[in-house]
Amino acid sequence: MEFWSIVLFEMGGRPVLLIDLLSAVLGLTTVFLAGRNSKYNFYVGYLYTALLFFMFWHKNLYANLILQPISLGINIMGQYRWSHPKQGQESSQKSGELKVSMLGWRWRVIIVLLIFVLAFVWGRLMSAFFPANPLPYLDCCVTVLILTAQTLSALKKWDCWVAWLFVNVTNLILYLKAGLVFMPLVSCMYLINGIWSLFSWYRLYRKNA
């Protein structure tokens, strides 16, 4: 039996594979560390990205696979930005580290508009090249939201957790509608961590304001 198809147990009549559990653990560890303002989240993120890359390659999910190099680039940028703050952006709590900041409302409006535009364009392309996908626009919107949240996290913007909350709630609804059991539990953990991190990073922002 191949590594990718090892079944650990069943939940709700559906098998939970070893690769599913590993990706869930690494993904949760990454956001857990990020929520606690730990720069080590990027190291776990590298392992998580590599795991997803090989998993999507094995399952021939090339639309998801091509996103992993983008995630890797965001991770590298984030690790550099967190540890090399520009003058005036250094945290008062941790010397040599980037402080938590917030987007202005103008940038928030621009980013929301960009998310919808990119999701629409990407959805049209997905509909053309992958017609078997029943929800191309929703899938693309969630994917663009994930990349947005990753980028904002790399820049240490408090707003990243707002984006993650939208991602987690949407994924939770989709998984429940699909009749899954394991992934909704994972999404709930992401959601709980996102809510905690939202307030945790706000406190860090206020300390540096």
Side-chain angles (χ1 to χ4, degrees):
M1 181 179 293
E2 294 183 350
F3 170 78
W4 311 100
S5 57
I6 296 175
V7 178
L8 295 179
F9 51 88
E10 290 191 359
M11 290 188 70
R14 294 175 181 266
V16 176
L17 306 181
L18 175 60
I19 192 66
D20 296 329
L21 184 61
L22 285 176
S23 61
V25 170
L26 286 176
L28 286 168
T29 302
T30 300
V31 295
F32 178 85
L33 291 173
R36 278 122 194 101
N37 195 28
S38 171
K39 62 184 179 182
Y40 295 107
N41 80 86
F42 295 108
Y43 297 105
V44 180
Y46 294 136
L47 294 175
Y48 182 49
T49 299
L51 180 67
L52 291 181
F53 183 89
F54 288 111
M55 181 175 72
F56 292 141
W57 178 279
H58 178 79
K59 294 184 177 182
N60 299 317
L61 298 173
Y62 300 115
N64 290 307
L65 182 147
I66 60 176
L67 294 176
Q68 301 317 307
I70 299 175
S71 293
L72 176 62
I74 293 173
N75 236 25
I76 293 172
M77 177 189 72
Q79 184 178 10
Y80 180 83
R81 289 288 290 120
W82 277 40
S83 57
H84 295 80
K86 296 178 181 178
Q87 188 174 5
Q89 296 181 346
E90 189 173 351
S91 171
S92 62
Q93 309 299 310
K94 291 185 178 181
S95 179
E97 288 196 14
L98 183 68
K99 68 180 180 181
V100 175
S101 58
M102 280 190 183
L103 292 172
W105 279 105
R106 179 171 172 268
W107 272 109
R108 288 171 181 169
V109 171
I110 291 173
I111 288 173
V112 169
L113 291 175
L114 281 174
I115 287 172
F116 282 109
V117 170
L118 289 174
F120 177 76
V121 173
W122 200 345
R124 289 294 294 268
L125 292 173
M126 289 289 286
S127 298
F129 293 102
F130 301 96
N133 188 338
L135 298 168
Y137 292 100
L138 182 58
D139 284 350
C140 290
C141 189
V142 173
T143 302
V144 173
L145 262 174
I146 290 173
L147 292 176
T148 301
Q150 288 178 338
T151 302
L152 292 176
S153 177
L155 298 174
K156 222 170 196 181
K157 297 294 183 181
W158 170 85
D159 310 76
C160 74
W161 295 109
V162 178
W164 280 124
L165 289 182
F166 279 105
V167 170
N168 296 332
V169 170
T170 303
N171 279 338
L172 180 60
I173 294 171
L174 288 174
Y175 293 144
L176 289 174
K177 283 188 174 182
L180 301 175
V181 178
F182 178 68
M183 289 311 297
L185 290 176
V186 174
S187 291
C188 283
M189 294 179 191
Y190 275 114
L191 187 58
I192 292 169
N193 181 77
I195 294 171
W196 190 94
S197 301
L198 190 75
F199 291 101
S200 175
W201 275 36
Y202 183 74
R203 287 193 295 270
L204 290 173
Y205 167 75
R206 293 294 298 172
K207 288 179 180 178
N208 286 284

